[in-house]
Amino acid sequence: MNKYIFSLFVIVIFQTTKAQNHTFTKQDSLRGSITPERAWWDLTYYHLDISVDPSTKSIKGKNSVHYKVLEPDSVLQIDLQAPLIITKVTQNDKELEVRTDGNAHFITLKNDQKKGSLQSLDVYYEGQPQEAKRAPWDGGFSWKKDDNGNDFIATSCQGLGASVWWPNKDHMYDEVDSMLISVRIPKALMEVSNGQLRRIEDHKDGTKTYNWFVNSPINNYGVNVNIGDYVHFSEDYKGEKGLLKMDYYVLKDNLEKAKKQFKDAPRMMEAFEHWFGPYPFYEDGYKLVEVPYLGMEHQSSVTYGNGYENGYLGRDLSGTGWGLKFDFIIIHESAHEWFANNITYKDMADMWIHESFTAYAESLFLEYFYGKKAGAEYVIGTRQGIQNDAPIIGPYNVNQPGSGDMYYKGANILHTLRQWINDDEQWRQILRGLNKTFYHQTVTTEQIENYISKTSGIDLSAFFDQYLRSTMIPNLEYEIKDQQLKYRWTNSVDKFEMPVQVVMGEKELWLYPKKDWSLTLINVGDLRVSSDFYVTSKRL
Ligand SMILES: [Zn+2]
């Protein structure tokens, strides 16, 4: 493998591979499991209301947490990471006792929590939030300056968790139905968060507050604050659900470059509405927001820092040339609007639901504009980044992802599955059906696997066990003797069966290998497995 390209892959998957060989602590369980102090209440709404002071790199404010009582209880868990501190928690103006265990804060409620009732509490907090070491992978607050010396500030927190900068129920299974984000900043700058801008309030002290309202369920890591010397331009997109406002916020100096490069945004929308169905957040609009790091799939405000170049920082991850036909960050991060923001994993172990479909989406974008061969060449090209170091599905309940193979092995699993289904329109309807069936939901891998099995009419349980839960790549072992072909699957899990397309001489045909030998007569000297299948083969 090209060492240079390999190092790029390492960058892409860094966050996910470092998680291997980890011993888990009580803190991991408090963060990664649905603890009893989380389970009894269901989030309905957050109002995050903070001021950001670039001169001291500090934030201060409160989050109002609204919830419905599922089962009466009196202790509730809120997460917030040091060095930020909770200064006060109140419910109905009564100050409440807080017991802290690392990043988990257990609040004892005084009021009766009647089943079915709607309640809220205000969590006040302040401090200097953790500074991002390597955004977006090792996130937090990025306090940067633009070329003109203006503050250029952004948050990123996938994996680490939103509790690195604001107090919340920091587990993916539960999402609010809507959210208001109010951010007070120095007057000279502009602030962009998720959803639609409701109003800007001016204050006498040289600050102003931006109020952004998110009309849809949103996952915690999707919430973001971006502050800079921005200029704004927009366009109306005629999509499957009508008119969609597409807004762009970029640094003043980059306006001309952005007007050119962001032409990929409506192209993206056209391709992905075709493959995945309507953009899932028409009410919240779609935004691309420039940030001082590579980018992230923040819901309805996708962040962008790819240098106004095609490829991944100007490079093609597939090594085929096709990766230079699009801006990697616009295409990849926006595909997450369907797989990550619309359909969201409940547990980070199932992060393939986000990254495999999204890495695969890169090839579907190419297919839409450049044909089926282009998409196939791209996805096959990305195999050079596959490590097979650990299973794609990670350990549950400890907030840990599986192998970084969730990106390009994941993409190739889906490409392989499409060959098996062997009906492009049915395959597209499965992708669209996933987005319709699990619209604005958090899901488990079993829900996704079962949906694809059910709608394709194929029992795919061994297929998913093979590719998601083991590191074995199925091997087609075969022998040709006296015009007889003997073949079977090796290096495979129990009950693994998958048809595979092979080329013999001039002819393409299907074999149906099982774990036991099958036999057929042929009149050619050798065969070749179609490269669309992510398998190996060995002639005995
Ligand atoms: Zn991604």
Side-chain angles (χ1 to χ4, degrees):
M1 178 186 305
N2 180 325
K3 216 172 148 191
Y4 185 59
I5 287 172
F6 176 71
S7 70
L8 282 172
F9 271 102
V10 172
I11 295 171
V12 175
I13 65 183
F14 175 80
Q15 168 214 325
T16 47
T17 46
K18 72 173 183 182
Q20 312 302 326
N21 309 319
H22 193 101
T23 36
F24 298 110
T25 63
K26 185 184 175 202
Q27 281 298 310
D28 293 324
S29 299
L30 286 175
R31 171 85 164 78
S33 66
I34 303 171
T35 61
E37 293 82 6
R38 280 174 173 155
W40 65 269
W41 51 286
D42 180 41
L43 280 169
T44 57
Y45 174 76
Y46 286 135
H47 177 197
L48 177 63
D49 184 3
I50 59 170
S51 30
V52 177
D53 183 357
S55 67
T56 57
K57 294 186 177 176
S58 63
I59 58 176
K60 182 177 181 166
K62 72 168 198 269
N63 186 22
S64 301
V65 181
H66 294 238
Y67 60 93
K68 186 177 174 180
V69 177
L70 301 175
E71 284 302 328
D73 212 319
S74 59
V75 181
L76 177 151
Q77 178 182 344
I78 289 289
D79 306 275
L80 183 69
Q81 300 178 32
L84 291 171
I85 52 164
I86 292 179
T87 50
K88 188 171 72 168
V89 182
T90 62
Q91 184 162 60
N92 300 332
D93 300 321
K94 282 182 221 151
E95 197 168 336
L96 304 174
E97 197 188 302
V98 182
R99 181 177 65 80
T100 290
D101 185 346
N103 297 328
H105 307 272
F106 297 96
I107 297 155
T108 303
L109 303 166
K110 289 178 177 165
N111 277 32
D112 226 18
Q113 307 287 311
K114 219 187 254 153
K115 185 170 177 163
S117 65
L118 294 172
Q119 308 279 347
S120 73
L121 52 86
D122 292 332
V123 183
Y124 294 81
Y125 77 111
E126 62 185 58
Q128 289 178 314
Q130 190 172 310
E131 207 163 325
K133 291 181 200 80
R134 242 177 106 260
W137 301 281
D138 202 348
F141 257 77
S142 298
W143 306 95
K144 305 282 183 187
K145 300 271 186 193
D146 68 14
D147 289 346
N148 302 318
N150 302 303
D151 285 302
F152 190 23
I153 300 162
T155 60
S156 58
C157 56
Q158 191 186 16
L160 193 58
S163 54
V164 73
W165 68 276
W166 57 287
N168 60 79
K169 185 190 223 179
D170 209 357
H171 192 291
M172 297 286 286
Y173 86 100
D174 196 5
E175 294 184 352
V176 285
D177 306 318
S178 61
M179 178 166 183
L180 178 61
I181 305 159
S182 305
V183 185
R184 187 163 173 167
I185 58 162
K187 218 170 217 144
L189 300 167
M190 195 189 283
E191 196 277 325
V192 185
S193 286
N194 316 72
Q196 303 277 13
L197 182 61
R198 264 195 175 168
R199 63 179 185 282
I200 305 168
E201 299 159 75
D202 270 304
H203 308 290
K204 289 198 177 98
D205 63 353
T207 61
K208 53 186 174 179
T209 302
Y210 283 79
N211 294 280
W212 294 89
F213 186 71
V214 184
N215 209 17
S216 319
I218 183 167
N219 61 51
N220 289 344
Y221 83 83
V223 176
N224 72 154
V225 163
N226 305 291
I227 301 165
D229 184 25
Y230 287 127
V231 286
H232 166 236
F233 62 104
S234 69
E235 63 186 304
D236 286 333
Y237 180 81
K238 279 200 198 87
E240 286 196 15
K241 272 175 78 176
L243 221 54
L244 171 67
K245 195 144 178 269
M246 298 182 73
D247 288 286
Y248 310 110
Y249 294 86
V250 298
L251 291 181
K252 223 168 246 166
D253 288 355
N254 294 333
L255 180 61
E256 289 317 308
K257 275 192 271 183
K259 280 186 169 167
K260 231 175 108 201
Q261 191 71 6
F262 287 6
K263 287 200 164 57
D264 260 5
R267 271 158 59 85
M268 170 281 296
M269 202 56 82
E270 186 184 335
F272 291 158
E273 285 209 325
H274 169 81
W275 288 110
F276 302 146
Y279 173 69
F281 306 104
Y282 268 73
E283 296 79 3
D284 290 326
Y286 168 88
K287 292 190 287 293
L288 259 182
V289 187
E290 185 172 356
V291 288
Y293 63 87
L294 185 61
M296 180 49 71
E297 64 253 29
H298 297 121
Q299 183 173 312
S300 73
S301 63
V302 171
T303 50
Y304 178 86
N306 198 33
Y308 300 100
E309 278 187 291
N310 278 2
Y312 178 98
L313 292 171
R315 281 141 209 150
D316 173 12
L317 293 184
S318 74
T320 62
W322 289 115
L324 296 177
K325 293 284 186 191
F326 60 94
D327 187 309
F328 180 91
I329 290 299
I330 296 177
I331 303 311
H332 178 97
E333 305 306 339
S334 300
H336 277 308
E337 294 280 33
W338 285 264
F339 292 96
N341 298 335
N342 187 35
I343 306 175
T344 308
Y345 60 68
K346 273 193 159 75
D347 191 298
M348 199 192 264
D350 295 336
M351 192 166 164
W352 81 279
I353 298 166
H354 297 194
E355 297 303 346
S356 300
F357 283 91
T358 295
Y360 177 59
E362 296 158 23
S363 69
L364 292 181
F365 174 85
L366 283 168
E367 176 170 338
Y368 185 83
F369 288 106
Y370 304 97
K372 201 168 168 179
K373 192 161 167 273
E377 284 176 7
Y378 177 85
V379 69
I380 292 165
T382 60
R383 283 180 199 164
Q384 62 186 347
I386 299 174
Q387 311 277 306
N388 278 315
D389 55 345
I392 283 178
I393 290 183
Y396 287 94
N397 298 317
V398 283
N399 194 49
Q400 289 293 332
S403 165
D405 282 344
M406 70 179 77
Y407 289 80
Y408 291 111
K409 181 177 168 185
N412 276 283
I413 294 169
L414 294 170
H415 185 68
T416 300
L417 182 53
R418 176 187 184 175
Q419 313 309 315
W420 185 352
I421 290 171
N422 197 24
D423 179 335
D424 287 349
E425 186 49 26
Q426 190 188 6
W427 178 240
R428 186 171 80 102
Q429 291 309 329
I430 289 173
L431 297 172
R432 290 174 68 97
L434 281 166
N435 277 284
K436 198 171 168 187
T437 306
F438 303 110
Y439 183 73
H440 290 183
Q441 289 179 33
T442 63
V443 300
T444 62
T445 188
E446 285 78 14
Q447 286 174 282
I448 300 299
E449 292 169 41
N450 292 341
Y451 179 86
I452 301 174
S453 280
K454 210 177 105 211
T455 48
S456 66
I458 305 169
D459 178 0
L460 294 167
S461 39
F463 174 86
F464 286 124
D465 282 348
Q466 171 83 29
Y467 281 108
L468 298 175
R469 297 180 179 86
S470 93
T471 55
M472 293 186 289
I473 301 307
N475 178 54
L476 181 73
E477 192 172 83
Y478 66 99
E479 195 177 72
I480 301 174
K481 226 191 314 187
D482 306 328
Q483 295 193 320
Q484 244 195 12
L485 169 67
K486 243 172 90 176
Y487 56 93
R488 65 174 181 180
W489 287 121
T490 61
N491 205 35
S492 59
V493 302
D494 213 27
K495 297 194 179 123
F496 181 80
E497 275 178 31
M498 174 173 72
V500 65
Q501 218 169 9
V502 296
V503 184
M504 288 190 211
E506 304 283 284
K507 270 198 293 190
E508 272 190 6
L509 60 112
W510 287 89
L511 296 179
Y512 297 84
K514 297 181 167 40
K515 284 188 79 85
D516 297 325
W517 288 108
S518 299
L519 221 62
T520 188
L521 289 174
I522 60 165
N523 54 13
V524 292
D526 201 1
L527 64 82
R528 179 175 61 77
V529 177
S530 157
S531 57
D532 286 321
F533 288 79
Y534 182 51
V535 298
T536 58
S537 63
K538 189 169 184 244
R539 183 175 177 171
L540 295 177

